[in-house]
Amino acid sequence: MVDITSAKAASELLVRHWKEGTTLAELPAALRPTSREAGYAVQAHIEGISQQPLFGWKIAATSTAGQQHIGVDGPIAGRLLAEMVHQDGDTLPFGANRMRVAEAEFAFRIGRDLPPRSTPYEVHEVLEAVSDLHLAIEVPDSRYTDFATVGAPQLIADNACAHQFVLGPQAPALWRQLDLSSHRVVGQVSDRLTRDGIGSNVLGDPRIALTWLANELSRIGVTLAAGHVVTTGTCLIPLEIEPLDTVTIDFGVLGQVSCSFTKA
């Protein structure tokens, strides 16, 4: 049983640190979730700070590198708030970001609702509900001083390290004929870093990751709704970024997406 009052208080504490650009070691014991379900109950309150409908969802830790980065052994889901969404080519405030990484991601727009149900969704069912594929960059961050040690329930409460998100161009329709698991991606940070990745780094296939998200939400009684965008996790080892950097992700025949950062 999740204590609603404690869940709301935990969320308010995390949001305060997010807005102030500060961190905490971990949630106070009385507010600390000890299960994934309790973590999601805390996370759900973050929608209350947004003046707009929920933009969509993110999946963290879909790759081995991503799991090692935040100290978990499997994926976790978070909410994308509309106020934190940017467009291709935008300049993002660097701010007090402590993770200091950018991630190359496939993002799917949902065309019809996938409501909770007793049987798991299959990949083909979820893909039939997808209207479009977008190229994307996620810029995560955490409200914990040492995010790699607090564990999955607290990271879920912290919105699965959601922060800024860049929605890139819509991919051409040929994406449905491609094997996204073998699709190569190249990330570049200004003129100092280039890194290759591949779709199979995302839970074996970004389409599998998307299906995982649909089933994770179903399990906690949440609908993956028409119009929501789901960004499925990084295709490459997260790219280290600094103020004034420009990040460009090349998805080959599917196109490119980029963003820059302010001085601080």
Side-chain angles (χ1 to χ4, degrees), residues 33-259:
T34 56
S35 67
R36 294 175 69 94
E37 290 75 16
Y40 283 120
V42 174
Q43 183 191 120
H45 289 282
I46 198 171
E47 289 189 46
I49 72 170
S50 178
Q51 301 301 307
Q52 301 180 53
L54 184 67
F55 185 81
W57 298 86
K58 65 157 288 182
I59 314 174
T62 52
S63 68
T64 301
Q67 290 166 13
Q68 292 173 346
H69 189 224
I70 62 174
V72 296
D73 59 5
I76 57 178
R79 287 160 163 86
L80 294 177
L81 300 185
E83 288 86 350
M84 302 305 290
V85 176
H86 302 266
Q87 300 303 310
D88 184 26
D90 281 358
T91 298
L92 283 56
F94 196 92
N97 191 312
R98 287 173 173 78
M99 277 193 168
R100 292 180 167 236
V101 294
E103 301 179 343
E105 310 205 359
F106 290 99
F108 298 88
R109 188 179 297 277
I110 304 302
R112 61 175 173 80
D113 287 0
L114 293 170
R117 70 184 199 186
S118 59
T119 57
Y121 285 101
E122 301 289 342
V123 173
H124 72 89
E125 294 178 281
V126 175
L127 285 176
E128 287 168 1
V130 170
S131 60
D132 303 297
L133 173 68
H134 286 261
L135 316 178
I137 298 172
E138 196 202 354
V139 184
D141 200 13
S142 175
R143 275 49 71 178
Y144 299 114
T145 306
D146 187 355
F147 49 81
T149 62
V150 296
Q154 289 199 83
L155 289 173
I156 291 171
D158 187 33
N159 205 19
C161 305
H163 186 47
Q164 297 162 321
F165 176 69
V166 178
L167 182 67
Q170 181 178 322
L174 63 84
W175 73 265
R176 290 188 184 270
Q177 281 72 57
L178 298 179
D179 177 5
L180 296 184
S181 68
S182 63
H183 194 79
R184 303 209 65 87
V185 177
V186 179
Q188 183 170 345
V189 181
S190 297
D191 58 358
R192 63 182 176 77
L193 173 62
T194 300
R195 187 169 289 156
D196 293 348
I198 191 169
S200 60
N201 287 332
V202 185
L203 275 187
D205 189 313
R207 297 164 293 192
I208 292 175
L210 177 65
T211 305
W212 175 89
L213 187 278
N215 286 318
E216 181 80 342
L217 296 187
S218 177
R219 188 178 63 81
I220 61 173
V222 175
T223 293
L224 179 53
H228 282 174
V229 170
V230 178
T231 192
T232 51
T234 185
C235 299
L236 42 75
I237 295 172
L239 298 161
E240 297 83 3
I241 57 171
E242 299 173 0
L244 298 178
D245 273 338
T246 294
V247 175
T248 302
I249 310 296
D250 187 348
F251 287 81
V253 295
L254 297 180
Q256 295 186 348
V257 58
S258 68
C259 68

Side-chain angles (χ1 to χ4, degrees), residues 21-37:
T22 55
T23 61
L24 70 166
E26 58 183 338
L27 287 167
L31 305 180
R32 193 178 305 155
T34 56
S35 67
R36 294 175 69 94
E37 290 75 16

